[in-house]
């Protein structure tokens, strides 16, 4: 997606670009490469999200980043009718989903569901990630959006 007209959300939103020393840099760098990365404890194999400096399961500090498939199921959702950010004032409704990644210890990620904002949404529906590149932003960045799997 290069053209601004193809963006799910309008221009003018704050840029979610990480600082180079930020904890989430591997996640954002992965999105630029069209790869979804999350943290995984190398001792126990347990995945975790959101990113933390410490492993959730054994409180170790040796946490790593691994690639996972950008596929999951809708765990929960809401149709947003009254966006609070000024750039979204004329862009509602839209659908926000919590996606559960069964292949990664059922970690859950928040995102937008692409498509008709009035579409029926089913809990448990399979979804796949879509990488939305914002090349004209300074600095450029990529977002992970979701769509119902075909």
């Amino acid at each position: 997606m290069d053209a601004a007209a193809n963006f799910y959300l309008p221009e003018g939103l704050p840029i979610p670009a990480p600082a180079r020393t930020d904890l989430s840099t591997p996640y954002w760098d992965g999105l630029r490469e069209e790869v979804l990365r999350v943290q995984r404890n190398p001792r126990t194999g347990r995945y975790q999200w959101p990113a933390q400096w410490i492993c959730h399961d054994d409180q170790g500090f040796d946490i790593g980043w691994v690639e996972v498939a950008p596929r999951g199921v809708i765990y929960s959702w809401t149709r947003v009718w009254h966006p609070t950010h000024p750039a979204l004032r004329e862009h509602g409704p839209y659908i926000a989903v919590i996606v559960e990644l069964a292949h990664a210890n059922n970690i859950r990620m928040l995102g937008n569901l692409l498509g008709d904002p009035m579409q029926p949404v089913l809990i448990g529906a399979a979804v796949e990630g879509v990488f939305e590149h914002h090349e004209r932003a300074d600095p450029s960045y990529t977002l992970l959006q979701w769509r119902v799997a075909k």
Side-chain angles (χ1 to χ4, degrees):
M1 291 182 150
D2 304 324
N6 292 331
F7 294 158
Y8 180 68
L9 297 175
E11 293 187 49
L13 291 172
I15 296 172
R20 289 294 105 194
T21 59
D22 189 24
L23 173 63
S24 62
T25 296
Y27 168 77
W28 292 106
D29 288 349
L31 294 185
R32 299 279 301 144
E33 301 163 12
E34 297 196 0
V35 170
L36 176 56
R37 290 188 187 120
V38 298
Q39 288 181 314
R40 186 173 186 209
N41 184 331
R43 291 172 304 287
T44 65
R46 191 87 182 148
Y47 296 87
Q48 66 183 40
W49 184 259
Q52 299 290 322
W53 292 112
I54 192 170
C55 298
H56 294 175
D57 58 347
D58 69 1
Q59 285 68 57
F61 290 97
D62 182 27
I63 189 77
W65 286 87
V66 296
E67 180 179 339
V68 297
R71 294 187 319 271
V73 297
I74 296 175
Y75 176 82
S76 185
W77 67 280
T78 189
R79 197 175 326 268
V80 180
W81 291 92
H82 303 287
T84 57
H85 193 282
L88 295 174
R89 198 164 283 138
E90 303 298 321
H91 294 278
Y94 60 91
I95 300 171
V97 291
I98 297 176
V99 174
E100 187 172 71
L101 308 180
H103 57 282
N105 299 121
N106 297 319
I107 60 173
R108 298 177 186 146
M109 305 184 99
L110 181 65
N112 298 305
L113 184 65
L114 301 177
D116 182 352
M118 298 308 295
Q119 67 186 294
V121 182
L122 300 173
I123 301 296
V127 291
E128 57 192 11
V130 176
F131 298 92
E132 182 181 281
H133 301 286
H134 291 259
E135 299 296 340
R136 289 192 250 167
D138 185 24
S140 60
Y141 63 95
T142 300
L143 296 176
L144 177 63
Q145 309 286 16
W146 298 95
R147 70 173 166 218
V148 176
K150 298 174 184 176

